[in-house]
Amino acid sequence: MLPQIHAQSPAQLTGLTLADPKESAAGLTAVLSTAKHILEEMNLLKGFGLLSKLNQKGGIDCMSCAFPDPKERASLAEYCENGAKAIAEEATDKRINADFFANYTISQLSEQSDYWLGKQGRLTQPMLLQEGKNHYEPITWENAFERIAKELNALDSPDEAIFYTSGRTSNEAAFLYQLFVRQFGTNNLPDCSNMCHESSGVALTETLGIGKGSVTLDDFYKAEVIIIIGQNPGTNHPRMLSALQKAKQNGCKIISINPLRETGLLNFKHPQKPTDWVGKGTALTDLYLQVKINADVALLKALIICLLEIQQANESVGANAVIDFSFIQTQTTGYEEFIKELKKYKLEDLAQASGISLAEIRATADLLAKHNKIIACWAMGLTQHKNAVGNIQEMVNLLLLKGSIGKEGAGTCPVRGHSNVQGDRTMGIIEKPKPQFLDKLKENFGFEPPRKDGYDTVAAIKAMYEGKAHLFLAMGGNFLSATPDTEFTAKALQNCSLTVHISTKLNRSHLIHGKTALILPCLGRTEKDIQNGVAQFVSIENSMGVVHSSKGILPPASEFLLSEVAIVANLAQAVFKEKSTIDWQKMNENYDNIRNMIEKTIKGFENYNQKVRLEDGFYLPNGAREGKFDTWDKKAHFTINEVPRHELAEDEFLMMTIRSHDQFNTTIYGLNDRYRGIYNERRIVMMNPEDLNKLGLEALQIVDLYSNYGGEERIAKTFRIVPYNIPAQCIATYFPEANVLIPIDLKADKSHTPVSKSVVVKVRT
Ligand code: SF4
């Protein structure tokens, strides 16, 4: 009988200390934190050598978030503290070899925290976990590929296999991966976008005809107003603060809408300007609306009603128009229905529901009324709710009213949290591909691609749980910890006959495995990728649709590593042998060959190999950026979105899971969350002090959290209460620790994004 394996990081406390939240982001502290994280993983010389190439032209693209690089790169440092942490994690000198796995059983490893697992170093050779065994053992690449090929070809249907992608995967690897999977015969291509900006893709495609943001970085510098809603750039897209500082210097006003007063939205001290270190920094937000969790639609409707009132008042005195009626009449559809539906709402009720005072709402509307170069930026705070698509579309309604789309200094800006998550989608990593894309694959590669939609992430988990899918292969990521309903997802993965992870570092998904499991260690973005004796480069698409190159400089962490492209090419060779119409080795020998195929298959990549070698890369086409809407009627669409209602009992809370400042997705860099004044602890729950009094709870008290959906109770044990400035009956916890509370079926309408930002939970002492 194999010992128990923990699907969750152990519920052990690490010694919380609290301090006041920081009043300013970055500054000298960010510089010191950068040096600290680098020195924990390598020597300063290696560290600075790497950092000097990070985000520089022709250098290494940061593998963390997808915030774009400015045209004029800072010569000293074109990266943020969290970019440096990501580099330190990947380029660490620490190594995990066969001895490590000989010394630790799977169950012993599972008793370690996620932080500990990630700090053990780079994986160095392919490892196999045989059925019934409790230790990973070395395996050759050839045997590993043969083993996977045998299992895949033994499946009754290609749809019994699932091929997951994390957003770090390069364009070249992603395109080859989807080609392999579709030639194998399935569209089961779930990816991390399913859990983050899927809702943005759905909402924007329906309303503006493209699932990507419309603004460029230059638009930030020309904007009159920037709305930042449901996003914490200070931690998740830190270089955005430099862009906001520049926008402020150009006279822009910033409106922040967030249940938490995030330091990165309040004040910024540029880490490269010592004058900023000692100075008072740049105040960022002009109007901070600390909205209740999931009350964004109520607030946006209230702002829109006020704008319409101001319009009426202005009309009566012949003052300037506030609403851009010429844009509405010529470029949009659905305005009349939208206005008619709005009439059923009372301003006072919307204000009440949002938790924002009428005075604050009117002040915000007054600001918006004066300007039409308005950019709306958002992230998970809008996308991870049941009504996520409605949240985003209500934001689009406001922009359309103002004509703030398709012109300079205005538009939509869903800020992607993973470096190439947008690029992977563009490359065809999607479970529901467009017929035109499949037709192109047939035309270019001579095989009939599968036409039936595949599983997205939630559906993939359920398919494995129900025994409909038996083989799980992940290109990067930490599937178990990134997904909801941790214990359910664990059973799903353990149901598989084979689980395979292509990874750089050890994580919990390696420990929650199928009957047999493989870990295939790949090159990181900092490392040289030599194919056929020639150093290759890969390409990435950032949040604003700029495709650019990335080239590693370090020797590989081990002689046994293969690139993501090489792994896919060899695996495809092993699966298809002589049956394939594609010369996989030719693709692997020179990535220009892959880019030539991408050019033939995907719009916007004409002359790909020339354009990607330009020092600034190139922009992909974006109709909404030019005011051309690729919708059924070529118009931008107003939509009608319900105000979500959460009838909470006295002792119930709406929980949102968030990242700490020492975290990138499920990678834990450290145990501190310095901007929020929380140190050395991840098992915390931020609660409103009045709620503590109401329920007789105390600061620092240890509690369990539990949710109950459909009569099924889920428990997350051992959290310390942190009294925090958060709206009443709203609480915040970190993921992945709280993901166990999110039921698999609690997902957003249309986009199926797991609802990680508005989960009803209770506290148990
Ligand atoms: S802002 Fe994002 S992409 Fe840029 S360095 Fe920081 S983490 Fe990396």
Side-chain angles (χ1 to χ4, degrees):
M1 174 60 188
L2 281 177
Q4 193 214 354
I5 302 176
H6 300 280
Q8 302 175 55
S9 205
Q12 284 144 7
L13 299 173
T14 49
L16 171 66
T17 59
L18 294 177
D20 292 338
K22 296 284 182 198
E23 292 178 358
S24 189
L28 176 58
T29 321
V31 176
L32 299 174
S33 169
T34 295
K36 169 181 164 292
H37 281 269
I38 289 286
L39 286 172
E40 279 172 4
E41 306 296 340
M42 63 192 78
N43 63 48
L44 217 51
L45 199 60
K46 176 183 174 183
F48 281 124
L50 269 174
L51 291 174
S52 69
K53 289 285 182 191
L54 188 56
N55 296 329
Q56 293 298 340
K57 300 184 180 190
I60 303 165
D61 178 73
C62 174
M63 64 296 286
S64 189
C65 88
F67 198 75
D69 311 314
K71 223 171 170 38
E72 306 76 36
R73 306 287 159 83
S75 53
L76 178 64
E78 189 48 66
Y79 54 86
C80 74
E81 173 193 348
N82 282 5
K85 290 172 188 170
I87 278 274
E89 284 284 310
E90 184 189 287
T92 176
D93 291 338
K94 299 172 197 157
R95 299 284 180 269
I96 289 182
N97 54 27
D99 297 345
F100 174 90
F101 287 107
N103 294 337
Y104 288 98
T105 64
I106 301 292
S107 40
Q108 285 169 331
L109 289 172
S110 79
E111 286 158 10
Q112 301 294 334
S113 70
D114 293 331
Y115 174 56
W116 184 92
L117 292 171
K119 287 295 179 186
Q120 298 314 302
R122 288 287 302 276
L123 297 159
T124 57
Q125 61 191 117
M127 300 300 291
L128 165 71
L129 180 68
Q130 306 216 43
E131 183 165 2
K133 292 283 182 70
N134 204 7
H135 284 273
Y136 274 100
E137 301 157 328
I139 182 173
T140 65
W141 279 106
E142 197 184 350
N143 287 348
F145 291 133
E146 280 311 320
R147 190 175 269 267
I148 302 168
K150 191 160 164 268
E151 291 247 2
L152 282 171
N153 289 329
L155 294 171
D156 295 337
S157 154
D159 288 331
E160 293 177 359
I162 290 172
F163 301 90
Y164 176 75
T165 310
S166 109
R168 190 203 59 207
T169 308
S170 69
N171 278 0
E172 292 75 11
F175 183 80
L176 213 60
Y177 188 45
Q178 66 80 29
L179 193 58
F180 157 63
V181 172
R182 292 203 165 97
Q183 174 133 50
F184 178 69
T186 182
N187 285 313
N188 285 347
L189 284 157
D191 70 332
C192 63
S193 194
N194 293 153
M195 287 173 282
C196 65
H197 273 290
E198 189 75 53
S199 306
S200 303
V202 172
L204 294 175
T205 303
E206 286 183 358
T207 48
L208 304 175
I210 183 171
K212 304 175 180 182
S214 70
V215 301
T216 66
L217 192 50
D218 287 343
D219 286 318
F220 271 65
Y221 312 143
K222 298 178 180 131
E224 296 163 332
V225 177
I226 296 177
I227 301 171
I228 305 169
I229 179 168
Q231 185 200 1
N232 176 22
T235 288
N236 304 328
H237 316 95
R239 277 188 303 158
M240 182 169 155
L241 302 193
S242 316
L244 294 175
Q245 183 183 50
K246 197 167 170 187
K248 289 287 297 192
Q249 287 156 357
N250 295 347
C252 179
K253 297 291 184 192
I254 295 178
I255 299 167
S256 292
I257 301 172
N258 198 307
L260 295 175
R261 284 183 71 77
E262 301 286 19
T263 302
L265 293 170
L266 297 173
N267 187 289
F268 172 62
K269 291 183 175 181
H270 204 299
Q272 289 155 47
K273 299 182 181 147
T275 46
D276 261 23
W277 299 353
V278 291
K280 56 182 180 23
T282 302
L284 295 177
T285 296
D286 298 277
L287 289 166
Y288 207 116
L289 307 178
Q290 223 179 321
V291 71
K292 287 182 186 172
I293 289 180
N294 201 202
D296 307 281
V297 171
L299 175 60
L300 292 166
K301 281 188 190 300
L303 289 170
I304 290 168
I305 289 173
C306 290
L307 282 170
L308 293 164
E309 286 178 359
I310 297 169
Q311 170 66 31
Q312 237 167 4
N314 285 13
E315 272 168 16
S316 64
V317 294
N320 291 346
V322 166
I323 307 295
D324 189 338
F325 287 114
S326 72
F327 174 83
I328 291 170
Q329 272 133 28
T330 55
Q331 305 251 19
T332 73
T333 297
Y335 176 73
E336 303 308 332
E337 298 79 1
F338 161 68
I339 292 296
K340 190 157 157 279
E341 189 264 352
L342 204 55
K343 292 204 166 60
K344 77 179 189 193
Y345 293 96
K346 277 218 200 77
L347 189 51
E348 297 67 25
D349 298 346
L350 292 170
Q352 169 77 23
S354 73
I356 305 297
S357 72
L358 260 181
E360 289 172 291
I361 291 171
R362 290 199 185 287
T364 307
D366 285 345
L367 174 61
L368 291 168
K370 298 189 187 81
H371 304 286
N372 53 31
K373 287 189 175 181
I374 303 169
I375 292 178
C377 304
W378 69 83
M380 305 307 104
L382 286 193
T383 68
Q384 295 179 329
H385 296 277
K386 189 159 181 7
N387 72 313
V389 172
N391 283 341
I392 296 154
Q393 293 188 337
E394 199 64 30
M395 188 69 251
V396 171
N397 282 341
L398 191 153
L399 293 176
L400 295 182
L401 270 183
K402 296 293 299 176
S404 299
I405 185 88
K407 64 182 176 202
E408 268 192 351
T412 56
C413 186
V415 188
R416 309 278 170 168
H418 212 161
S419 58
N420 202 34
V421 65
Q422 189 161 305
D424 294 340
R425 264 300 152 89
T426 305
M427 289 300 114
I429 299 290
I430 186 168
E431 77 282 355
K432 41 185 187 309
K434 290 200 174 97
Q436 303 88 322
F437 176 73
L438 299 177
D439 294 345
K440 270 286 174 195
L441 290 183
K442 181 177 180 181
E443 182 190 321
N444 292 335
F445 299 100
F447 71 92
E448 182 54 54
R451 301 279 169 173
K452 192 178 80 173
D453 285 353
Y455 297 131
D456 61 22
T457 295
V458 168
I461 295 169
K462 297 186 77 170
M464 291 186 279
Y465 188 88
E466 293 153 10
K468 292 184 190 133
H470 309 300
L471 191 148
F472 176 81
L473 191 149
M475 174 68 82
N478 178 359
F479 189 81
L480 172 76
S481 302
T483 49
D485 218 341
T486 314
E487 296 299 337
F488 182 93
T489 302
K491 289 196 183 64
L493 288 166
Q494 289 163 333
N495 252 357
C496 288
S497 57
L498 175 63
T499 50
V500 182
H501 292 274
I502 298 166
S503 307
T504 54
K505 306 283 291 290
L506 183 67
N507 64 51
R508 199 163 292 278
S509 294
H510 301 135
L511 311 178
I512 301 296
H513 53 80
K515 291 179 185 44
T516 306
L518 283 161
I519 301 176
L520 305 180
C522 64
L523 288 175
R525 217 176 268 171
T526 54
E527 292 159 319
K528 287 181 185 149
D529 179 354
I530 309 295
Q531 302 298 338
N532 224 10
V534 180
Q536 304 293 317
F537 66 84
V538 293
S539 53
I540 315 293
E541 177 189 339
N542 66 33
S543 241
M544 291 171 183
V546 178
V547 176
H548 59 268
S549 68
S550 178
K551 196 171 190 175
I553 61 169
L554 291 178
S558 134
E559 60 181 312
F560 300 115
L561 301 185
L562 289 180
S563 72
E564 293 170 331
V565 166
I567 292 172
V568 174
N570 283 286
L571 179 56
Q573 197 71 42
V575 170
F576 303 128
K577 302 205 172 7
E578 68 299 329
K579 282 194 292 255
S580 181
T581 57
I582 298 160
D583 183 344
W584 299 98
Q585 285 321 318
K586 181 172 168 232
M587 297 287 185
N588 184 31
E589 282 159 13
N590 180 345
Y591 298 178
D592 279 356
N593 297 330
I594 304 173
R595 288 185 281 269
N596 287 338
M597 297 319 281
I598 294 172
E599 177 175 336
K600 283 177 67 177
T601 309
I602 303 171
K603 272 210 199 90
F605 286 87
E606 299 71 22
N607 307 318
Y608 190 3
N609 276 312
Q610 289 80 6
K611 291 192 297 189
V612 76
R613 285 176 168 80
L614 299 171
E615 61 176 16
D616 291 313
F618 63 98
Y619 275 100
L620 288 172
N622 187 309
R625 183 170 293 157
E626 289 124 39
K628 298 193 186 85
F629 306 111
D630 188 16
T631 54
W632 62 269
D633 60 358
K634 304 299 175 208
K635 303 270 186 183
H637 286 235
F638 281 96
T639 52
I640 292 173
N641 306 296
E642 292 301 315
V643 172
R645 299 204 177 292
H646 297 283
E647 314 294 349
L648 298 175
E650 272 281 299
D651 60 350
E652 285 184 325
F653 296 89
L654 266 188
M655 176 192 80
M656 61 179 182
T657 65
I658 59 177
R659 285 184 194 168
S660 80
H661 192 61
D662 271 357
Q663 170 183 2
F664 172 73
N665 283 348
T666 58
T667 303
I668 314 298
Y669 299 134
L671 301 179
N672 299 331
D673 191 3
R674 94 166 169 273
Y675 289 160
R676 297 187 180 117
I678 297 168
Y679 297 89
N680 197 35
E681 186 60 79
R682 291 192 50 80
R683 306 192 74 81
I684 58 99
V685 52
M686 300 174 203
M687 298 180 75
N688 180 303
E690 279 163 34
D691 288 332
L692 299 189
N693 301 339
K694 200 172 66 181
L695 296 175
L697 297 168
E698 284 163 19
L700 305 182
Q701 186 174 350
I702 300 172
V703 295
D704 295 341
L705 304 175
Y706 65 104
S707 65
N708 191 316
Y709 282 82
E712 192 180 343
E713 187 171 273
R714 294 167 176 80
I715 297 187
K717 286 195 161 301
T718 321
F719 288 76
R720 271 207 191 279
I721 293 177
V722 172
Y724 207 83
N725 176 359
I726 188 169
Q729 284 197 283
C730 298
I731 64 173
T733 52
Y734 300 136
F735 76 89
E737 286 80 357
N739 281 0
V740 65
L741 296 168
I742 306 167
I744 192 72
D745 290 319
L746 187 63
K747 58 184 192 244
D749 301 334
K750 293 184 185 170
S751 64
H752 305 161
T753 297
V755 172
S756 309
K757 289 283 191 285
S758 45
V759 185
V760 178
V761 303
K762 288 186 178 184
V763 173
R764 183 175 288 156
T765 55

